Amino acid sequence: MKAPHEIDLTRSVLELAGLKWGDGELDVGVSVDASRWADRVVARWWQPGATVVGFHLSGKWFDQGWTADQVATLLANIASIRGDVRVVVTHGPHDADAAGLVRGLAGFERVTGRDDDTPVWMGSEGRVGIVAVDFPRWAAMLSRAAVVVTRDTGSLHLSSALKRPVVALYA
């Protein structure tokens, strides 16, 4: 059975309490420019038809005891799943230190896009890419993922609003 999102649970509680909930679903629009950017990044670094797994890297991974080595191992394990799986790791400007910890591990190297100079750090034999994003690009990239792996952060809620399946890891 599929568990309802917390917004759906909140709606149910409010309705039971006799409070009116607005119609419509939580929805995030993805801009055309951000969509084109995400398509270019995915097409540039990975073969057509690859299954893209989204992974949002925030400082929260390290707040509760994870190490950069453990996160890198998790990423490598996801990338090694049967089939042509690729992991796109997103991070925002406030999570640059967390991304730097993982990127600093052996095997990650910086590659630069031909079209827009988007820096991508590749590891796990080209199966894991780390890219800094702003909100529109973050939404666009996660919208391309077959599934998103995340902690309980905004990426969990954004992925749900984008109607992407989510694997949420809690403390």
Side-chain angles (χ1 to χ4, degrees), residues 90-158:
T90 58
H91 71 87
H94 297 295
D95 298 312
D97 290 343
L101 288 171
V102 176
R103 283 193 323 247
L105 298 172
F108 278 90
E109 66 179 63
R110 182 177 180 186
V111 293
T112 302
R114 293 180 292 258
D115 300 351
D116 57 3
D117 295 329
T118 299
V120 177
W121 295 78
M122 299 299 286
S124 295
E125 300 174 0
R127 295 174 69 91
V128 177
I130 301 175
V131 62
V133 291
D134 58 13
F135 188 86
R137 288 180 172 189
W138 186 33
M141 192 58 80
L142 292 182
S143 73
R144 274 122 184 96
V147 64
V148 177
V149 178
T150 183
R151 297 296 309 253
D152 182 18
T153 64
S155 57
L156 182 144
H157 305 288
L158 176 58

Side-chain angles (χ1 to χ4, degrees), residues 30-43 46 50-54 86 88 136-148 162 164-165:
V30 178
S31 74
V32 172
D33 288 343
S35 291
R36 288 179 182 149
W37 171 85
D39 288 341
R40 282 193 313 267
V41 170
V42 170
W46 296 310
T51 299
V52 176
V53 174
R86 300 295 186 252
V88 61
R137 288 180 172 189
W138 186 33
M141 192 58 80
L142 292 182
S143 73
R144 274 122 184 96
V147 64
V148 177
L162 292 166
R164 305 310 322 141

